[in-house]
Amino acid sequence: MKIAVFVGSIREGRSGLRIGQWAIEQLEARNDGHTYELVDILEQDLNPNTAIPPRMVENGAYADPKTLAWAELIGGYDAYIFVTPEYNASVPGPMKDAYDLLYAEWTGKPISFIGYGSDAARTAISHWNDIVTRVGMIVTPAQVEFTFQEHFPDFVFTPGESGAAMLANVADELLDAADRVAVEVDA
Ligand SMILES: Cc1cc2nc3c(=O)[nH]c(=O)nc-3n(C[C@H](O)[C@H](O)[C@H](O)COP(=O)(O)O)c2cc1C
């Protein structure tokens, strides 16, 4: 399986990149034969607008070459871990924009979240649940919850054993769900 760790913040000095990199290090250390890759919006060249609603695009035929490249990247993964902050009690705008450019590439795939914030981005993750369910994704139950109080003492990201354990649960559930999807597709 090929799993994307999708970092959703683009701010200068963002915490999201460090958290995404930590997740990749942890996941690769599993040595489980699966591939884990970081997807960073800042490394993508995306147009914010879309000519027609992505749901109506057939066979991945996106008119915009930038969106086409984004679709090919995202469509190549079997499951996703979204690393999401919470901005004003919801999901970060640039991450939602990148998400909304596509449709079929997300549909039917498993997803989980690493949330971080004063309340571990619980409200943002709740909004993400509505968004990704609308697009037909499969939300697995486990998620990683990093609170500033527990996991950012003195503003330093400190995932600790609890962070590693939460991420291990996320990976196990995502891989199981991706296996079930693969079986259904083959059947
Ligand atoms: C525009 C903006 C709105 C924010 N709103 C919230 C919020 O609603 N809840 C929260 O816990 N943190 C909020 N924060 C604080 C962020 O959790 C914190 O800045 C975090 O580091 C953002 O992730 P990033 O560094 O990866 O961008 C907000 C930060 C910004 C920049």
Side-chain angles (χ1 to χ4, degrees):
M1 296 291 171
K2 206 171 154 192
I3 314 291
V5 173
F6 178 28
V7 171
S9 63
I10 61 170
R11 288 187 321 116
E12 198 177 333
R14 58 199 167 141
S15 297
L17 185 60
R18 176 72 197 97
I19 297 170
Q21 287 166 338
W22 164 82
I24 291 288
E25 287 160 16
Q26 293 285 316
L27 294 164
E28 286 182 341
R30 290 165 64 94
N31 272 322
D32 58 7
H34 300 290
T35 302
Y36 300 96
E37 289 180 356
L38 194 78
V39 175
D40 180 356
I41 300 171
L42 276 187
E43 288 180 8
Q44 305 301 317
D45 186 15
L46 301 177
N47 274 331
N49 288 317
T50 190
I52 57 173
R55 190 174 186 166
M56 295 166 65
V57 172
E58 290 181 10
N59 304 318
Y62 293 94
D64 183 328
K66 292 181 179 179
T67 307
L68 191 58
W70 177 233
E72 283 170 359
L73 176 73
I74 292 301
Y77 295 107
D78 300 295
Y80 309 85
I81 300 173
F82 279 19
V83 181
T84 183
E86 179 171 305
Y87 290 163
N88 295 326
S90 193
V91 303
M95 192 176 190
K96 177 71 160 52
D97 280 346
Y99 185 85
D100 287 345
L101 282 169
L102 308 179
Y103 193 92
E105 292 71 18
W106 304 117
T107 303
K109 309 252 190 85
I111 180 169
S112 183
F113 300 93
I114 299 174
Y116 56 101
S118 50
D119 190 34
R122 285 195 183 92
T123 307
I125 291 177
S126 156
H127 293 180
W128 273 123
N129 271 275
D130 287 346
I131 293 160
V132 304
T133 302
R134 178 69 173 256
V135 177
M137 297 186 83
I138 301 159
V139 181
T140 53
Q143 61 195 31
V144 179
E145 297 181 342
F146 287 134
T147 60
F148 288 148
Q149 193 180 2
E150 186 179 350
H151 296 101
F152 289 82
D154 299 322
F155 303 100
V156 177
F157 176 50
T158 311
E161 286 181 15
S162 66
M166 286 188 282
L167 183 61
N169 277 342
V170 161
D172 289 344
E173 288 187 1
L174 264 191
L175 289 166
D176 282 351
D179 274 343
R180 286 194 293 275
V181 169
V183 168
E184 283 166 20
V185 169
D186 286 346

